Amino acid sequence: MRRFRLLAAVLALGMATAACSATQHRTGSDSSSGTPSRTSGAGTPANGPHKKGGTVTIANEQGQTWTCQFNPFNPAAYLESNGFVYEPLIYVDSLNNQAETPMLATGYRWNADKTQIVFTVRDGVKWNDGQPFTAADVAFTFNLMKRVPATDLYALWSAAGLKSVTASGNQVTLAFKQTAETYFYAFADQVSIVPQHIFGSGEAAAHPDTWADPHPVGTGPFKVDPCSPNNIQYTANSGYWQAGKPYIQKVEYPAYLDNGPANLDLAAGKAQWGSQFIPGIKNFYLDKSPDNHTWSPPVLNVSLFPNLDPSHKATSNPAVRQAIAHAIDRSRVAAIGEGGQEPPGNQSGVVLPTFQKYYDAGAVSAAGYDKPDPAKAAQLLSGAGYSPAHPLKLSVITITGYTDWDASLAVIKQQLKPIGIDLTVQDLAQQTFDTRLYTGDFDLAYYGEPTGGPTPYYELREILASANTAPLGKQANGNYERYRNPAVDALFQQYATADDAGQVAIVKQIEAAVIKDVPVIPVTESVDWFQYNTADIAGWPTPEDPYAQPAAFNFPDAGQVLLHLYSKAAQ
């Protein structure tokens, strides 16, 4: 299921204590290697090179037919292009202790105070239309994000302090106003590099944030060939810069409007790569074939996002938000809505056990959020003027076809009714949901926001930083609830230069704001849904070899997975 606009850096269960701070993993030296090599061997196929051949079919329900738009700057469309067609400078493996694979850059070096980074751009790479890829394309991409702020999806120019990007020869220099190592994951891994000869003229130059990009020109392992509303077909890029890759020669990506047909195709082996919730997964899927497998590592949060704009008088009232947070029995939602395949969330916003050392259990308990408290919820709501006799009518938007989210919201609706909230669930097509979410057209939104990294800072910054939001009616790049807190913004700024203990302390202070202000209401801790079939296709990521986030909706990880997969029949 296409859950996230994923910036998400997923951490595997049990790796919380092993995950170090960003400052420990981003000091790689420059390299001139002609092919990418991981800093650990975990991502290397065990059997070396493979013969080309085979097709992979993805079953990942998205709630609508395909729009055949592939703009890497458009959050409503870029999951189908980033990783497949467009590539980053460095791939950062969030499941493997932030191990790095050089992609369009062969390496990089920081200056002493980490305010400047120089990337060495890979020679001999071509765009899939045959034009040469150069350092100028890299500089162009970042400067385009400055010229058109809507394309700066990670607020690099507005919040991270990026002040200039220049190219000289095969090197690109990014200069920042302050220490920028914390943002490495965003600018090295999450920004997809685009061709200047395409985005530098015409409609693409005039509207780079909304241009459809129906025939994407990238450096990645696949081309779109062709796309229809019912299916995207990707064919191998014969001129791809990694010699002999990709092994898989075709990828089929059917459009599914509901989990049901996609799950049936997975269970029958018609699709090999699934990324969605399967109710009763053991009986429905795993027991159908010894070739059917699953591994869904824990991810981030799925939350209720209340609209904090003053025009929404109820949800902008802290007492109403606190009442909702007290009323929801998160364990019951996880058990019923997610069939126990996702753990319950908590009001701190810190994912457990992944980030246990950052979690302030005392603060959660002191605020009364360690367990549901319907009596407290009813009291708060009564003080705001609502009761079962005079209910507060609210609507919550969600994505059509996400059957587990529908089940979870049905439980939430039941839990809110006795305290005096009449909740209406609005199932929307993915694109409609995205538009309403980004522009703030909702009372409540049920969503898993795409933020992650080696500490809770990354998710919390995406959710809470003022720089990520926008006035109601304008598109926000994050912080869709429109939360503004200068003290929290200051904490995000301090985090970048703090040592490990200081970062833990800062996160706990941010937690305190989440607990007090309730800008979002975490409900469950989402997982990186992943099902895979090994009858013909091998090379999948596993807990023993976590070389990439395994869900097809992750980028640029989907491209890494496809570079490892191969057909047994073709060997």
Side-chain angles (χ1 to χ4, degrees):
M1 185 175 297
R2 190 178 77 166
R3 288 292 162 84
F4 305 111
R5 179 180 67 82
L6 274 179
L7 167 62
V10 185
L11 294 177
L13 185 62
M15 290 182 65
T17 56
C20 302
S21 70
T23 58
Q24 293 174 293
H25 298 291
R26 291 174 180 166
T27 55
S29 61
D30 200 353
S31 166
S32 59
S33 171
T35 58
S37 57
R38 198 173 299 273
T39 55
S40 79
T44 305
N47 300 320
H50 302 284
K51 295 180 182 177
K52 294 182 177 183
T55 298
V56 169
T57 299
I58 300 172
N60 174 25
E61 182 270 321
Q62 54 279 337
Q64 65 178 36
T65 55
W66 296 120
T67 62
C68 293
Q69 298 184 25
F70 298 94
N71 187 330
F73 298 115
N74 183 350
Y78 67 8
L79 297 183
E80 289 76 58
S81 61
N82 289 345
F84 294 86
V85 179
Y86 294 106
E87 295 183 306
L89 295 170
I90 304 286
Y91 171 66
V92 180
D93 182 5
S94 298
L95 290 178
N96 190 30
N97 208 24
Q98 309 301 297
E100 297 172 4
T101 298
M103 295 299 291
L104 294 181
T106 59
Y108 60 88
R109 64 181 182 272
W110 287 100
N111 65 353
D113 61 2
K114 306 296 176 65
T115 59
Q116 180 175 290
I117 188 169
V118 180
F119 287 98
T120 300
V121 173
R122 189 176 297 279
D123 294 325
V125 178
K126 291 186 177 181
W127 299 100
N128 64 30
D129 63 358
Q131 295 292 317
F133 160 79
T134 69
D137 292 303
V138 178
F140 170 82
T141 299
F142 284 97
N143 285 310
L144 173 63
M145 293 157 58
K146 179 182 181 181
R147 180 175 67 83
V148 184
T151 64
D152 186 11
L153 301 179
Y154 311 109
L156 295 174
W157 290 95
S158 60
L162 185 60
K163 63 179 185 179
S164 68
V165 181
T166 56
S168 178
N170 68 344
Q171 296 193 325
V172 174
T173 301
L174 279 67
F176 295 82
K177 298 174 184 176
Q178 67 264 340
T179 299
E181 194 170 33
T182 303
Y183 305 107
F184 181 90
Y185 178 74
F187 62 74
D189 177 273
Q190 291 288 288
V191 172
S192 293
I193 306 304
V194 300
Q196 183 173 2
H197 69 278
I198 299 294
F199 278 82
S201 61
E203 185 69 13
H207 303 287
D209 54 331
T210 59
W211 178 55
D213 194 12
H215 306 288
V217 175
T219 59
F222 288 90
K223 299 180 178 182
V224 174
D225 180 27
C227 177
S228 71
N230 295 321
N231 186 64
I232 303 172
Q233 179 175 286
Y234 301 88
T235 57
N237 177 4
S238 60
Y240 186 54
W241 58 269
Q242 293 196 50
K245 293 185 178 184
Y247 308 125
I248 295 296
Q249 294 297 286
K250 187 181 294 184
V251 178
E252 302 286 355
Y253 207 158
Y256 294 96
L257 303 183
D258 186 82
N259 278 11
N263 289 343
L264 287 170
D265 282 355
L266 285 167
K270 293 181 180 178
Q272 297 78 41
W273 188 357
S275 300
Q276 59 200 26
F277 173 69
I278 299 180
I281 190 169
K282 184 178 185 299
N283 292 332
F284 185 90
Y285 176 71
L286 297 175
D287 290 349
K288 289 292 193 295
S289 169
D291 293 312
N292 288 346
H293 308 274
T294 187
W295 170 50
S296 298
V299 204
L300 306 162
N301 286 293
V302 177
S303 305
L304 281 170
F305 285 70
N307 197 318
L308 306 187
D309 189 86
S311 64
H312 290 254
K313 293 183 179 180
T315 53
S316 63
N317 184 341
V320 171
R321 303 196 299 272
Q322 291 164 4
I324 295 171
H326 280 294
I328 295 174
D329 185 339
R330 294 168 170 87
S331 295
R332 188 165 177 80
V333 175
I336 296 175
E338 299 297 340
Q341 295 183 58
E342 287 189 349
N346 69 83
Q347 188 52 45
S348 76
V350 173
V351 173
L352 301 174
T354 308
F355 299 125
Q356 185 70 48
K357 75 175 183 178
Y358 297 88
Y359 178 57
D360 193 340
V364 173
S365 178
Y369 291 122
D370 53 333
K371 57 185 178 298
D373 191 344
K376 177 70 171 177
Q379 179 186 16
L380 285 162
L381 204 62
S382 176
Y386 306 102
S387 68
H390 301 282
L392 167 61
K393 296 183 182 295
L394 293 175
S395 63
V396 56
I397 61 172
T398 185
I399 302 170
T400 187
Y402 285 16
T403 55
D404 55 329
W405 284 13
D406 285 336
S408 294
L409 286 169
V411 177
I412 293 170
K413 179 182 175 73
Q414 271 186 338
Q415 294 173 347
L416 295 182
K417 185 175 181 180
I419 71 167
I421 294 179
D422 182 3
L423 186 66
T424 299
V425 178
Q426 297 182 348
D427 280 290
L428 306 175
Q430 176 85 54
Q431 192 168 28
T432 304
F433 174 89
D434 288 345
T435 299
R436 290 186 60 180
L437 178 72
Y438 302 157
T439 59
D441 183 12
F442 59 87
D443 292 332
L444 298 164
Y446 199 61
Y447 185 61
E449 192 156 9
T451 55
T455 78
Y457 159 87
Y458 296 89
E459 178 174 12
L460 293 170
R461 178 181 181 270
E462 181 75 5
I463 291 173
L464 305 174
S466 298
N468 294 334
T469 196
L472 214 62
K474 302 292 185 180
Q475 179 169 309
N477 291 327
N479 190 348
Y480 304 116
E481 74 279 9
R482 272 67 184 174
Y483 180 65
R484 296 181 185 276
N485 186 328
V488 171
D489 289 338
L491 289 169
F492 287 131
Q493 292 296 324
Q494 296 166 24
Y495 181 93
T497 56
D499 60 16
D500 187 65
Q503 290 181 345
V504 171
I506 288 169
V507 168
K508 288 186 176 181
Q509 291 180 68
I510 296 169
E511 277 180 72
V514 178
I515 293 168
K516 176 179 178 289
D517 298 340
V518 193
V520 295
I521 303 166
V523 179
T524 64
E525 292 180 357
S526 67
V527 297
D528 199 15
W529 301 110
F530 176 47
Q531 303 87 30
Y532 60 105
N533 182 282
T534 56
D536 179 53
I537 306 300
W540 299 103
T542 64
E544 297 74 32
D545 187 9
Y547 64 78
Q549 293 178 227
F553 52 67
N554 289 325
F555 74 79
D557 303 74
Q560 295 295 315
V561 173
L562 288 170
L563 286 171
H564 284 75
L565 298 185
Y566 63 93
S567 166
K568 298 176 186 177
Q571 305 313 301

